[in-house]
Amino acid sequence: MAKEILRLEHIQKRFGDGDSSITILKDISLTLKKGEFIAIVGPSGSGKSTLLSIIGALLSPSSGNVILDQENIAAYKPSKLTSVRKNKIGFIFQSSNLVSYLTVKEQLMLISDISKTGKKENVKKATDLINHLGLSHRSKSYPAKLSGGEKQRVAIARAFMNDPDIVLADEPTASLDSERGKQVVEMISHEVKTRNKAAIMVTHDERILHLCDRVLRIEDGQIFEKI
C-alpha cells in the first residue's frame, strides 16, 4: 500500500485584517500518496496558486494543518520552512526560470550547491537526470540555445535534483504547444512513478488531465474531486 506523503487538514487562508479580510481558501482537506500525480484545476482567483504556495512552504495557512512526511509544517518559522523547501520540495514553474549564464548541467549543480550535499554524488545524479530526460546532447548548452520544451525538461530535472518528497508544478505547459505540453506532463508523470515520488500540478490545460491519477477542482475556495 502506497505511503501517504502529504495530508492537508481543514486549511483556511485569509488575507487582510478585520472587516477587510478576504478568505481565499475555506476548509481545504486532501491527501497525497507516494507515486501519485494529481492535477488541480479551477478558474482564475479560485485559490489554486495560494494552495500550491502553502503546500510548497512558501506561505503559512491561517488555520489548519499541513502534514508533510508526518511532520506538521503549518506553524514552522520562516527559517525552518526554508529547510523544508530545500530538502523536501521540487518546483516547476510556468516559465522554466533558468539562469541565463549557466549551462544545462550547471543549472542542476546549482541545486546541489544550495543543498550542500556531496559534489561527486551530485555530478552523477545530474548526469543521470540529463540523460534520462533526453538532454545529454544539451548538457553544455545555455538556455538561449534551448527550445521551449527542452527548457521545461531542464526544469523537470532540476526539480528532482534535490530528491524531493513532492514536486509542485504551476502551469508547466502554459508556454508550450499541445504536443510539447503533453510530452512535458508525461515526463513529470514518469519521474513520479519511477522514483516513487508525488506531484501536484496546477493547470488550465484540459488536454493533459488524462495523464494524472486524480483531478481536483477548486472553486470559491473549496475543493472537490472532478468526475
Side-chain angles (χ1 to χ4, degrees):
M1 191 173 183
K3 178 186 174 184
E4 180 182 283
I5 193 64
L6 173 74
R7 185 164 76 253
L8 303 185
E9 297 177 337
H10 308 295
I11 295 297
Q12 290 195 35
K13 184 61 180 177
R14 295 180 296 275
F15 292 100
D17 297 305
D19 295 337
S20 63
S21 69
I22 299 172
T23 301
I24 303 296
L25 300 176
K26 309 169 185 175
D27 199 29
I28 300 280
S29 296
L30 66 84
T31 59
L32 180 68
K33 295 179 180 178
K34 284 194 171 186
E36 191 174 25
F37 181 25
I38 69 173
I40 298 178
V41 300
S44 296
S46 59
K48 301 187 302 296
S49 293
T50 300
L51 180 60
L52 211 64
S53 294
I54 288 172
I55 295 169
L58 294 165
L59 276 179
S60 294
S62 301
S63 62
N65 298 316
V66 181
I67 300 168
L68 176 59
D69 196 20
Q70 301 182 328
E71 291 187 24
N72 186 5
I73 68 170
Y76 276 13
K77 293 180 178 178
S79 59
K80 203 164 183 181
L81 288 176
T82 299
S83 177
V84 170
R85 289 194 300 273
K86 186 170 67 174
N87 297 312
K88 293 183 175 292
I89 299 168
F91 295 93
I92 304 169
F93 300 101
Q94 179 173 334
S95 169
S96 57
N97 287 338
L98 302 182
V99 181
S100 63
Y101 54 84
L102 296 180
T103 65
V104 167
K105 192 166 188 176
E106 288 167 347
Q107 306 280 344
L108 273 60
M109 291 305 297
L110 179 63
I111 301 300
S112 67
D113 290 344
I114 292 170
S115 299
K116 296 181 180 177
T117 48
K119 186 168 183 179
K120 187 175 180 181
E121 174 190 339
N122 282 305
V123 168
K124 183 181 185 305
K125 188 187 295 184
T127 301
D128 288 347
L129 279 166
I130 287 167
N131 293 342
H132 189 63
L133 289 167
L135 291 164
S136 55
H137 64 301
R138 293 296 201 184
S139 179
K140 296 180 180 179
S141 298
Y142 293 93
K145 298 294 185 181
L146 305 178
S147 69
E150 286 172 336
K151 288 177 182 177
Q152 281 298 64
R153 275 188 272 164
V154 177
I156 292 169
R158 185 179 59 188
F160 282 93
M161 189 64 196
N162 64 340
D163 197 29
D165 293 319
I166 297 178
V167 169
L168 303 178
D170 191 358
E171 299 282 3
T173 66
S175 60
L176 304 175
D177 61 37
S178 177
E179 185 57 32
R180 283 180 178 159
K182 180 172 176 283
Q183 289 173 358
V184 162
V185 176
E186 284 174 339
M187 287 177 183
I188 296 171
S189 178
H190 180 73
E191 294 303 305
V192 166
K193 305 298 182 187
T194 58
R195 297 175 188 277
N196 198 31
K197 302 301 182 180
I200 298 175
M201 174 177 65
V202 163
T203 185
H204 281 102
D205 193 346
E206 299 274 339
R207 300 167 299 182
I208 43 85
L209 295 180
H210 67 284
L211 299 169
C212 301
D213 298 308
R214 285 192 291 148
V215 180
L216 305 177
R217 181 174 180 83
I218 288 187
E219 201 159 330
D220 296 325
Q222 296 180 307
I223 199 165
F224 53 90
E225 195 111 9
K226 191 178 184 337
I227 300 173

